[in-house]
Amino acid sequence: QVQLVESGGGLVQAGGSLRLSCAASGSFFKINAMGWYRQGPGKQREAVATITSGGSTNYADSVKGRFTISKDNAKNTVYLQMNSLKAEDTAVYYCYASVSIKLFAAGKDYWGKGTLVTVSS
């Protein structure tokens, strides 16, 4: 089993910064990829940033240049550094991980419960 726990959400003024953390715990063989998704009011959930086990990253166009995803393999933790925040960034941010439970097993998707980020203008 795998559990993902997010932290770091809160209220921040436009132009400010915030850093989200997500720690994976449980019994598993390998984390294949981790990332952050978000869902704003009245909007669909969208990918914000992802990072593979090899370190390759992808960003949504709307956050490129402002957000940075990183990970600490020893801690099984992924981070999202959010700078120059805009009101449009207001959303519940969800941690995502693709995890192989055992050797040669296909990756399964896991989700955190989300952390709210509110950006005031």
Side-chain angles (χ1 to χ4, degrees), residues 25-100:
S25 62
S27 180
F28 52 86
F29 177 73
K30 183 182 180 181
I31 299 175
N32 303 301
M34 298 187 79
W36 293 93
Y37 289 65
R38 69 184 181 187
Q39 186 167 23
K43 301 171 68 177
Q44 290 186 278
R45 186 176 298 190
E46 64 175 351
V48 177
T50 59
I51 186 166
T52 68
S53 60
S56 297
T57 59
N58 277 301
Y59 296 92
D61 288 342
S62 60
V63 307
K64 201 172 186 67
R66 299 188 296 121
F67 292 9
T68 302
I69 189 169
S70 62
K71 62 185 175 75
D72 185 331
N73 291 332
K75 297 181 178 180
N76 291 321
T77 299
V78 65
Y79 306 94
L80 186 68
Q81 179 65 48
M82 304 184 293
N83 298 327
S84 301
L85 283 161
K86 305 174 180 179
E88 308 92 84
D89 295 318
T90 295
V92 176
Y93 285 70
Y94 297 91
C95 181
Y96 155 83
S98 173
V99 180
S100 295

Coordinates of all heavy atoms in Angstrom, one line a residue, residues 25-100:
S25 N 4.7 7.1 1.5 CA 5.1 6.1 2.5 C 4.3 4.8 2.2 O 3.3 4.8 1.4 CB 4.8 6.6 3.9 OG 3.4 6.8 4.1
G26 N 4.8 3.7 2.8 CA 4.2 2.4 2.6 C 5.1 1.4 2.1 O 6.4 1.6 2.3
S27 N 4.6 0.4 1.6 CA 5.5 -0.7 1.1 C 5.4 -0.8 -0.5 O 4.3 -1.0 -1.0 CB 5.0 -2.1 1.7 OG 5.8 -3.1 1.2
F28 N 6.5 -0.5 -1.1 CA 6.5 -0.5 -2.6 C 8.0 -0.7 -3.0 O 8.9 -0.5 -2.3 CB 6.0 0.8 -3.1 CG 6.6 2.0 -2.6 CD1 7.7 2.5 -3.1 CD2 6.0 2.7 -1.5 CE1 8.3 3.7 -2.6 CE2 6.5 3.8 -1.0 CZ 7.7 4.3 -1.5
F29 N 8.1 -1.1 -4.3 CA 9.4 -1.4 -4.9 C 10.0 -0.1 -5.4 O 11.2 0.2 -5.2 CB 9.3 -2.5 -6.0 CG 10.6 -2.7 -6.7 CD1 11.6 -3.4 -6.0 CD2 10.8 -2.3 -8.0 CE1 12.8 -3.6 -6.6 CE2 12.0 -2.5 -8.6 CZ 13.0 -3.2 -7.9
K30 N 9.2 0.6 -6.2 CA 9.8 1.8 -6.8 C 8.7 2.8 -7.2 O 7.6 2.5 -7.5 CB 10.4 1.4 -8.2 CG 11.1 2.5 -8.9 CD 11.7 2.0 -10.2 CE 12.4 3.1 -11.0 NZ 13.0 2.6 -12.3
I31 N 9.1 4.1 -7.0 CA 8.2 5.2 -7.5 C 8.7 5.5 -8.9 O 9.9 5.9 -9.1 CB 8.3 6.4 -6.6 CG1 7.8 6.1 -5.2 CG2 7.5 7.6 -7.2 CD1 8.0 7.2 -4.2
N32 N 7.8 5.4 -9.9 CA 8.2 5.6 -11.3 C 8.1 7.1 -11.6 O 9.0 7.6 -12.4 CB 7.3 4.8 -12.2 CG 7.3 3.4 -11.9 OD1 8.4 2.7 -11.9 ND2 6.2 2.8 -11.6
A33 N 7.2 7.8 -11.1 CA 7.0 9.2 -11.4 C 6.2 9.8 -10.3 O 5.4 9.2 -9.6 CB 6.4 9.4 -12.7
M34 N 6.3 11.1 -10.1 CA 5.5 11.9 -9.2 C 5.1 13.2 -9.8 O 5.8 13.6 -10.8 CB 6.2 12.1 -7.8 CG 6.6 10.9 -7.1 SD 7.2 11.2 -5.4 CE 5.7 11.5 -4.5
G35 N 4.1 13.8 -9.3 CA 3.7 15.1 -9.9 C 2.7 15.8 -9.1 O 2.2 15.3 -8.0
W36 N 2.3 16.9 -9.6 CA 1.2 17.7 -9.0 C 0.2 18.1 -10.0 O 0.5 18.4 -11.2 CB 1.8 19.1 -8.5 CG 2.8 18.8 -7.3 CD1 4.1 18.7 -7.4 CD2 2.4 18.8 -5.9 NE1 4.6 18.5 -6.1 CE2 3.6 18.6 -5.2 CE3 1.2 18.8 -5.3 CZ2 3.6 18.4 -3.8 CZ3 1.2 18.7 -3.9 CH2 2.4 18.5 -3.2
Y37 N -1.1 17.9 -9.6 CA -2.2 18.3 -10.4 C -3.0 19.3 -9.5 O -2.9 19.3 -8.3 CB -3.1 17.0 -10.7 CG -2.5 16.1 -11.7 CD1 -1.3 15.4 -11.4 CD2 -3.1 15.9 -12.9 CE1 -0.8 14.5 -12.3 CE2 -2.6 15.0 -13.9 CZ -1.4 14.3 -13.6 OH -0.9 13.5 -14.5
R38 N -3.9 20.0 -10.2 CA -4.7 20.9 -9.5 C -6.1 21.0 -10.1 O -6.3 20.7 -11.3 CB -4.1 22.3 -9.4 CG -4.0 23.1 -10.8 CD -3.3 24.4 -10.7 NE -3.3 25.1 -11.9 CZ -2.6 26.2 -12.1 NH1 -1.8 26.7 -11.1 NH2 -2.6 26.8 -13.3
Q39 N -7.0 21.5 -9.3 CA -8.4 21.7 -9.7 C -8.9 23.0 -9.1 O -9.1 23.0 -7.9 CB -9.3 20.5 -9.3 CG -10.7 20.6 -9.9 CD -11.5 19.3 -9.8 OE1 -11.2 18.4 -9.0 NE2 -12.5 19.1 -10.7
G40 N -9.1 23.9 -9.9 CA -9.7 25.2 -9.5 C -11.2 25.2 -9.5 O -11.8 24.2 -10.0
P41 N -11.8 26.2 -8.9 CA -13.3 26.3 -8.9 C -13.9 26.2 -10.3 O -13.6 27.0 -11.2 CB -13.6 27.6 -8.2 CG -12.3 27.9 -7.5 CD -11.2 27.4 -8.3
G42 N -14.8 25.2 -10.5 CA -15.5 25.1 -11.7 C -14.6 24.6 -12.9 O -15.0 24.8 -14.1
K43 N -13.5 24.1 -12.6 CA -12.6 23.6 -13.6 C -12.2 22.2 -13.5 O -12.4 21.6 -12.4 CB -11.3 24.5 -13.6 CG -11.5 26.0 -13.8 CD -10.2 26.8 -13.5 CE -9.2 26.5 -14.5 NZ -8.0 27.4 -14.3
Q44 N -11.7 21.6 -14.5 CA -11.3 20.2 -14.5 C -9.9 20.1 -13.9 O -9.1 21.0 -13.9 CB -11.3 19.6 -15.9 CG -12.6 19.4 -16.5 CD -12.5 18.7 -17.9 OE1 -12.2 19.3 -18.9 NE2 -12.7 17.4 -17.8
R45 N -9.6 18.9 -13.3 CA -8.3 18.7 -12.8 C -7.3 18.7 -14.0 O -7.5 18.1 -15.0 CB -8.2 17.4 -12.1 CG -6.9 17.1 -11.4 CD -6.9 15.8 -10.6 NE -7.9 15.8 -9.5 CZ -8.0 14.9 -8.5 NH1 -7.1 13.9 -8.5 NH2 -8.9 15.0 -7.6
E46 N -6.2 19.4 -13.8 CA -5.2 19.5 -14.8 C -3.8 19.2 -14.2 O -3.5 19.4 -13.0 CB -5.2 20.9 -15.4 CG -4.8 22.0 -14.4 CD -4.7 23.3 -15.1 OE1 -4.7 23.4 -16.3 OE2 -4.6 24.3 -14.3
A47 N -2.9 18.7 -15.0 CA -1.5 18.4 -14.6 C -0.8 19.8 -14.5 O -0.9 20.6 -15.4 CB -0.8 17.5 -15.6
V48 N -0.1 19.9 -13.5 CA 0.7 21.1 -13.3 C 2.2 20.9 -13.6 O 2.8 21.6 -14.3 CB 0.6 21.7 -11.8 CG1 1.5 22.9 -11.6 CG2 -0.9 22.0 -11.5
A49 N 2.7 19.8 -13.0 CA 4.1 19.5 -13.2 C 4.4 18.0 -12.8 O 3.7 17.5 -11.9 CB 5.1 20.4 -12.3
T50 N 5.2 17.3 -13.5 CA 5.5 16.0 -13.3 C 7.0 15.8 -13.3 O 7.8 16.5 -14.0 CB 4.9 15.0 -14.2 OG1 5.3 15.3 -15.6 CG2 3.3 15.1 -14.1
I51 N 7.5 14.7 -12.6 CA 8.9 14.4 -12.7 C 9.1 12.9 -12.6 O 8.4 12.2 -11.8 CB 9.7 15.1 -11.5 CG1 11.2 14.8 -11.7 CG2 9.2 14.6 -10.2 CD1 12.0 15.7 -10.8
T52 N 9.9 12.3 -13.5 CA 10.1 10.9 -13.6 C 11.2 10.5 -12.7 O 11.9 11.3 -12.1 CB 10.4 10.4 -15.0 OG1 11.7 10.9 -15.4 CG2 9.4 11.0 -16.0
S53 N 11.3 9.1 -12.5 CA 12.4 8.6 -11.7 C 13.8 9.0 -12.2 O 14.7 9.2 -11.4 CB 12.3 7.1 -11.6 OG 12.5 6.5 -12.9
G54 N 13.9 9.2 -13.5 CA 15.1 9.7 -14.1 C 15.4 11.2 -14.0 O 16.4 11.6 -14.4
G55 N 14.4 11.9 -13.6 CA 14.5 13.3 -13.4 C 14.0 14.2 -14.5 O 14.1 15.4 -14.4
S56 N 13.3 13.6 -15.5 CA 12.7 14.4 -16.5 C 11.5 15.1 -16.0 O 10.7 14.5 -15.3 CB 12.3 13.5 -17.7 OG 13.5 12.9 -18.3
T57 N 11.3 16.4 -16.4 CA 10.2 17.2 -15.9 C 9.3 17.7 -17.0 O 9.8 17.9 -18.2 CB 10.7 18.4 -15.1 OG1 11.6 19.2 -15.9 CG2 11.5 17.9 -13.9
N58 N 8.1 17.9 -16.7 CA 7.1 18.6 -17.6 C 6.3 19.5 -16.8 O 6.0 19.3 -15.6 CB 6.2 17.5 -18.2 CG 6.8 16.8 -19.4 OD1 7.2 17.5 -20.4 ND2 6.9 15.5 -19.4
Y59 N 6.0 20.7 -17.5 CA 5.2 21.7 -16.8 C 4.1 22.1 -17.7 O 4.2 22.1 -18.9 CB 6.1 22.9 -16.5 CG 7.2 22.7 -15.5 CD1 8.4 22.3 -16.0 CD2 6.9 22.9 -14.2 CE1 9.5 22.1 -15.1 CE2 8.0 22.6 -13.3 CZ 9.2 22.3 -13.7 OH 10.2 22.1 -12.8
A60 N 3.0 22.5 -17.1 CA 1.9 23.1 -17.8 C 2.4 24.5 -18.3 O 3.1 25.2 -17.6 CB 0.7 23.3 -17.0
D61 N 1.9 24.9 -19.5 CA 2.3 26.2 -20.0 C 2.0 27.3 -19.1 O 2.8 28.3 -19.0 CB 1.7 26.4 -21.4 CG 2.2 25.6 -22.5 OD1 3.3 25.0 -22.3 OD2 1.5 25.4 -23.5
S62 N 0.9 27.2 -18.3 CA 0.5 28.3 -17.5 C 1.4 28.5 -16.3 O 1.4 29.6 -15.7 CB -0.9 28.0 -17.0 OG -1.0 26.8 -16.3
V63 N 2.2 27.5 -15.9 CA 3.1 27.7 -14.8 C 4.6 27.7 -15.2 O 5.5 27.9 -14.3 CB 2.9 26.6 -13.7 CG1 1.4 26.5 -13.4 CG2 3.3 25.2 -14.2
K64 N 4.9 27.4 -16.4 CA 6.3 27.3 -16.8 C 7.0 28.6 -16.6 O 6.5 29.7 -16.9 CB 6.3 27.0 -18.3 CG 7.6 26.4 -18.8 CD 7.6 25.9 -20.2 CE 8.8 25.2 -20.7 NZ 9.0 23.9 -20.0
G65 N 8.2 28.5 -15.9 CA 9.0 29.6 -15.6 C 8.7 30.2 -14.2 O 9.4 31.0 -13.7
R66 N 7.6 29.8 -13.6 CA 7.2 30.2 -12.3 C 7.3 29.1 -11.2 O 7.6 29.4 -10.1 CB 5.8 30.8 -12.3 CG 5.6 32.0 -13.2 CD 4.2 32.6 -13.0 NE 3.1 31.7 -13.4 CZ 2.2 31.3 -12.6 NH1 2.1 31.7 -11.3 NH2 1.2 30.5 -13.0
F67 N 6.9 27.9 -11.7 CA 6.9 26.7 -10.7 C 8.1 25.8 -11.0 O 8.5 25.7 -12.2 CB 5.6 25.9 -10.9 CG 4.4 26.6 -10.4 CD1 4.4 27.9 -10.1 CD2 3.2 25.9 -10.3 CE1 3.2 28.6 -9.6 CE2 2.0 26.5 -9.9 CZ 2.0 27.8 -9.6
T68 N 8.6 25.2 -10.0 CA 9.7 24.2 -10.2 C 9.4 23.0 -9.4 O 9.1 23.0 -8.2 CB 11.0 24.8 -9.7 OG1 11.3 26.0 -10.4 CG2 12.1 23.8 -9.9
I69 N 9.4 21.8 -10.0 CA 9.2 20.6 -9.4 C 10.5 19.9 -9.1 O 11.5 20.0 -9.9 CB 8.3 19.6 -10.2 CG1 7.9 18.4 -9.3 CG2 8.9 19.2 -11.5 CD1 6.8 17.5 -10.0
S70 N 10.7 19.3 -7.9 CA 11.9 18.6 -7.6 C 11.6 17.4 -6.7 O 10.4 17.3 -6.2 CB 12.9 19.6 -6.9 OG 12.4 20.1 -5.7
K71 N 12.5 16.6 -6.4 CA 12.3 15.4 -5.6 C 13.5 15.1 -4.8 O 14.7 15.4 -5.1 CB 11.8 14.2 -6.4 CG 12.9 13.7 -7.4 CD 12.2 12.6 -8.3 CE 13.2 12.1 -9.4 NZ 14.3 11.3 -8.8
D72 N 13.3 14.4 -3.7 CA 14.3 13.9 -2.8 C 14.1 12.4 -2.7 O 13.2 11.9 -2.0 CB 14.3 14.5 -1.4 CG 15.4 14.1 -0.5 OD1 15.9 13.0 -0.7 OD2 15.8 14.9 0.3
N73 N 14.9 11.6 -3.4 CA 14.7 10.2 -3.5 C 14.8 9.5 -2.1 O 14.1 8.6 -1.8 CB 15.6 9.5 -4.5 CG 15.3 9.9 -5.9 OD1 14.2 10.2 -6.3 ND2 16.4 9.9 -6.8
A74 N 15.8 10.0 -1.4 CA 16.0 9.4 -0.1 C 14.8 9.5 0.9 O 14.5 8.7 1.7 CB 17.2 10.0 0.6
K75 N 14.0 10.6 0.7 CA 12.9 10.9 1.5 C 11.5 10.5 0.8 O 10.5 10.7 1.4 CB 12.8 12.3 1.9 CG 14.0 12.8 2.7 CD 13.9 14.3 3.1 CE 15.0 14.7 4.0 NZ 14.9 16.1 4.4
N76 N 11.6 10.0 -0.4 CA 10.4 9.7 -1.2 C 9.5 10.9 -1.2 O 8.2 10.7 -1.0 CB 9.7 8.4 -0.6 CG 10.5 7.2 -0.9 OD1 11.1 7.0 -1.9 ND2 10.5 6.3 0.1
T77 N 10.0 12.0 -1.4 CA 9.2 13.3 -1.4 C 9.4 14.1 -2.6 O 10.5 14.2 -3.2 CB 9.7 14.1 -0.1 OG1 9.5 13.3 1.1 CG2 8.9 15.4 -0.1
V78 N 8.3 14.7 -3.1 CA 8.3 15.6 -4.2 C 7.9 17.0 -3.7 O 7.1 17.1 -2.8 CB 7.4 15.1 -5.3 CG1 5.9 15.1 -4.9 CG2 7.6 15.9 -6.6
Y79 N 8.5 18.0 -4.3 CA 8.2 19.4 -4.0 C 7.7 20.2 -5.2 O 8.0 19.8 -6.3 CB 9.4 20.0 -3.4 CG 10.1 19.3 -2.3 CD1 11.2 18.4 -2.5 CD2 9.7 19.5 -1.0 CE1 11.8 17.7 -1.5 CE2 10.3 18.8 0.1 CZ 11.4 17.9 -0.2 OH 12.0 17.2 0.8
L80 N 7.0 21.2 -4.9 CA 6.6 22.1 -5.9 C 6.8 23.5 -5.4 O 6.1 24.0 -4.5 CB 5.1 22.0 -6.3 CG 4.6 22.8 -7.5 CD1 5.3 22.4 -8.8 CD2 3.1 22.8 -7.6
Q81 N 7.8 24.2 -5.9 CA 8.1 25.5 -5.5 C 7.3 26.4 -6.4 O 7.5 26.4 -7.7 CB 9.6 25.8 -5.7 CG 10.0 27.3 -5.3 CD 9.8 27.6 -3.9 OE1 10.1 26.9 -3.0 NE2 9.1 28.8 -3.6
M82 N 6.5 27.3 -5.9 CA 5.6 28.1 -6.7 C 5.9 29.6 -6.4 O 5.8 30.0 -5.3 CB 4.1 27.9 -6.3 CG 3.7 26.4 -6.5 SD 1.9 26.2 -6.1 CE 1.9 26.5 -4.4
N83 N 6.4 30.2 -7.4 CA 6.8 31.7 -7.3 C 5.9 32.5 -8.2 O 5.2 32.0 -9.1 CB 8.2 31.9 -7.7 CG 9.2 31.1 -6.9 OD1 9.0 31.0 -5.7 ND2 10.3 30.7 -7.5
S84 N 5.9 33.8 -8.0 CA 5.0 34.7 -8.7 C 3.6 34.2 -8.9 O 3.0 34.2 -10.0 CB 5.7 34.9 -10.1 OG 7.0 35.4 -10.0
L85 N 3.0 33.9 -7.8 CA 1.7 33.3 -7.8 C 0.6 34.3 -8.3 O 0.7 35.5 -8.0 CB 1.3 32.8 -6.4 CG 2.0 31.4 -6.1 CD1 1.9 31.2 -4.6 CD2 1.2 30.3 -6.8
K86 N -0.3 33.8 -9.0 CA -1.4 34.6 -9.5 C -2.7 34.1 -9.0 O -2.8 32.9 -8.5 CB -1.4 34.5 -11.1 CG -0.2 34.8 -11.8 CD -0.3 34.5 -13.3 CE 1.0 34.9 -14.0 NZ 0.9 34.6 -15.4
A87 N -3.7 34.9 -9.1 CA -5.1 34.5 -8.6 C -5.6 33.2 -9.3 O -6.2 32.4 -8.7 CB -6.1 35.6 -8.8
E88 N -5.2 33.1 -10.5 CA -5.6 31.9 -11.3 C -5.0 30.6 -10.8 O -5.4 29.6 -11.2 CB -5.2 32.1 -12.8 CG -5.7 33.4 -13.4 CD -4.7 34.5 -13.3 OE1 -3.8 34.6 -14.2 OE2 -4.7 35.3 -12.3
D89 N -4.0 30.7 -10.0 CA -3.4 29.5 -9.4 C -4.2 29.0 -8.3 O -3.8 27.9 -7.8 CB -1.9 29.8 -8.9 CG -1.0 30.2 -10.1 OD1 -1.1 29.6 -11.2 OD2 -0.2 31.2 -9.9
T90 N -5.2 29.7 -7.8 CA -6.0 29.2 -6.7 C -6.7 27.9 -7.1 O -7.3 27.8 -8.1 CB -7.1 30.2 -6.4 OG1 -6.4 31.4 -5.8 CG2 -8.0 29.7 -5.3
A91 N -6.4 26.9 -6.3 CA -6.9 25.5 -6.6 C -6.6 24.6 -5.4 O -5.8 24.9 -4.6 CB -6.3 25.0 -7.9
V92 N -7.2 23.4 -5.5 CA -6.7 22.3 -4.6 C -5.7 21.6 -5.4 O -5.9 21.2 -6.5 CB -7.9 21.4 -4.3 CG1 -7.3 20.2 -3.5 CG2 -8.9 22.1 -3.4
Y93 N -4.5 21.5 -4.8 CA -3.4 20.8 -5.4 C -3.3 19.4 -4.9 O -3.2 19.1 -3.7 CB -2.1 21.6 -5.2 CG -2.0 22.8 -6.0 CD1 -2.8 23.9 -5.7 CD2 -1.1 22.9 -7.1 CE1 -2.7 25.1 -6.5 CE2 -1.0 24.1 -7.8 CZ -1.8 25.2 -7.5 OH -1.7 26.3 -8.3
Y94 N -3.2 18.4 -5.9 CA -3.1 17.0 -5.5 C -1.8 16.4 -5.9 O -1.3 16.6 -7.0 CB -4.2 16.3 -6.3 CG -5.6 16.7 -5.9 CD1 -6.3 17.6 -6.6 CD2 -6.3 16.0 -4.8 CE1 -7.6 18.0 -6.3 CE2 -7.6 16.4 -4.5 CZ -8.2 17.4 -5.2 OH -9.5 17.7 -4.9
C95 N -1.2 15.7 -5.0 CA 0.0 14.9 -5.3 C -0.4 13.6 -6.0 O -1.4 13.0 -5.7 CB 0.7 14.6 -4.0 SG 2.3 13.7 -4.2
Y96 N 0.5 13.3 -7.0 CA 0.3 12.1 -7.7 C 1.6 11.3 -7.7 O 2.7 11.8 -7.8 CB -0.1 12.5 -9.2 CG 0.3 11.4 -10.2 CD1 -0.6 10.3 -10.4 CD2 1.4 11.5 -10.9 CE1 -0.3 9.3 -11.4 CE2 1.8 10.5 -11.9 CZ 0.9 9.4 -12.1 OH 1.2 8.5 -13.0
A97 N 1.4 9.9 -7.8 CA 2.6 9.1 -7.9 C 2.2 7.8 -8.7 O 1.1 7.3 -8.5 CB 3.2 8.7 -6.5
S98 N 3.1 7.4 -9.6 CA 3.0 6.1 -10.2 C 4.0 5.2 -9.5 O 5.2 5.5 -9.5 CB 3.3 6.2 -11.7 OG 3.4 5.0 -12.3
V99 N 3.4 4.1 -8.9 CA 4.2 3.3 -8.0 C 4.2 1.8 -8.4 O 3.1 1.3 -8.7 CB 3.7 3.4 -6.6 CG1 4.6 2.6 -5.6 CG2 3.8 4.9 -6.1
S100 N 5.3 1.2 -8.5 CA 5.4 -0.3 -8.7 C 5.5 -0.9 -7.3 O 6.4 -0.6 -6.5 CB 6.6 -0.6 -9.5 OG 6.5 -0.1 -10.8

